[in-house]
Amino acid sequence: VLTATGCGSLISNRSFTNPNADFSFYTKVGFLPFHNLSEDKLAGEKMTDICMTELLIGGGVEVMDPAQFQSVVAQVLRTNAPVGGTELGPAQLTQIAEIAKVQAIFTGTIHDYKMITIGGESYPHITMTVKFIDAPTGTVAWQNSMTATGGPNLPIVSIGETYTMAEMSQKVCKKVVRYFYKETVSKR
């Protein structure tokens, strides 16, 4: 799906919803720091925090306290190092979820998080993937990949542009969480 939004950005979005997932089962979730593949060293942390905030605002699921959840992750992995760049296997995710008493875990990857130049102007560009993993099975219950590029609504009139990474980050996370709630929680 490729859309020009009224927010001064072009967004490409693809979602998968596992037809076997029972979304009424998921009441409490954990949130792993997003894996960062972008040049911005803090992009994963930034997008994790913003997406978690949007998820909390939506109120469809309870989100475990991040510090407590990270403590459980560290316990399972037997490390004190941050896990933002670590890919966890299904068995590890299941073990973490059992100890944390969550039914699902959000993970994500930030692919691009940078400013790009279009027609002599600089605009934010973000590409990310978010997964909602069913804890008992370790399978993907829902996944969304989104690419968004800022810019003016109309090429000639500069009204409603998105010029900053912070503003684009907020818009992307809000849209991803909106898709999540629309495609999963509404199926309860």
Side-chain angles (χ1 to χ4, degrees):
V1 177
L2 186 65
T3 58
T5 68
C7 332
S9 55
L10 186 63
I11 296 178
S12 171
N13 174 66
R14 305 264 304 160
S15 282
F16 163 78
T17 304
N18 188 326
N20 298 320
D22 175 8
F23 290 98
S24 65
F25 171 70
Y26 309 116
T27 57
K28 186 175 182 182
V29 301
F31 220 99
L32 286 173
F34 290 169
H35 183 64
N36 184 21
L37 300 177
S38 77
E39 295 173 9
D40 183 321
K41 301 290 184 219
L42 299 176
E45 292 175 42
K46 294 173 191 176
M47 296 299 282
T48 299
D49 287 345
I50 295 169
C51 280
M52 190 180 312
T53 299
E54 291 299 327
L55 192 66
L56 289 165
I57 290 168
V61 293
E62 179 186 350
V63 180
M64 184 175 182
D65 176 77
Q68 291 176 347
F69 189 72
Q70 289 306 315
S71 176
V72 171
V73 172
Q75 174 188 342
V76 169
L77 298 180
R78 292 180 174 83
T79 181
N80 291 326
V83 295
T86 306
E87 287 289 327
L88 302 176
Q92 291 171 310
L93 291 171
T94 299
Q95 186 180 6
I96 290 165
E98 285 175 4
I99 295 168
K101 296 183 177 29
V102 298
Q103 296 85 35
I105 299 173
F106 276 97
T107 67
T109 303
I110 308 304
H111 304 282
D112 291 312
Y113 191 88
K114 61 186 175 184
M115 297 297 287
I116 61 171
T117 303
I118 302 173
E121 295 282 340
S122 291
Y123 298 107
H125 175 79
I126 298 173
T127 301
M128 68 185 278
T129 301
V130 176
K131 294 179 185 178
F132 184 70
I133 309 292
D134 176 81
T137 64
T139 60
V140 175
W142 178 84
Q143 182 168 323
N144 178 280
S145 293
M146 184 172 293
T147 298
T149 303
N153 283 337
L154 303 170
I156 299 171
V157 182
S158 294
I159 298 174
E161 304 87 4
T162 303
Y163 282 110
T164 68
M165 289 304 298
E167 185 181 12
M168 181 57 72
S169 298
Q170 188 75 40
K171 287 178 181 181
V172 167
C173 289
K174 187 174 185 177
K175 195 165 271 301
V176 166
V177 170
R178 187 179 304 144
Y179 280 119
F180 171 73
Y181 280 128
K182 178 182 173 190
E183 296 169 2
T184 64
V185 175
S186 64
K187 296 181 180 186
R188 288 183 174 182

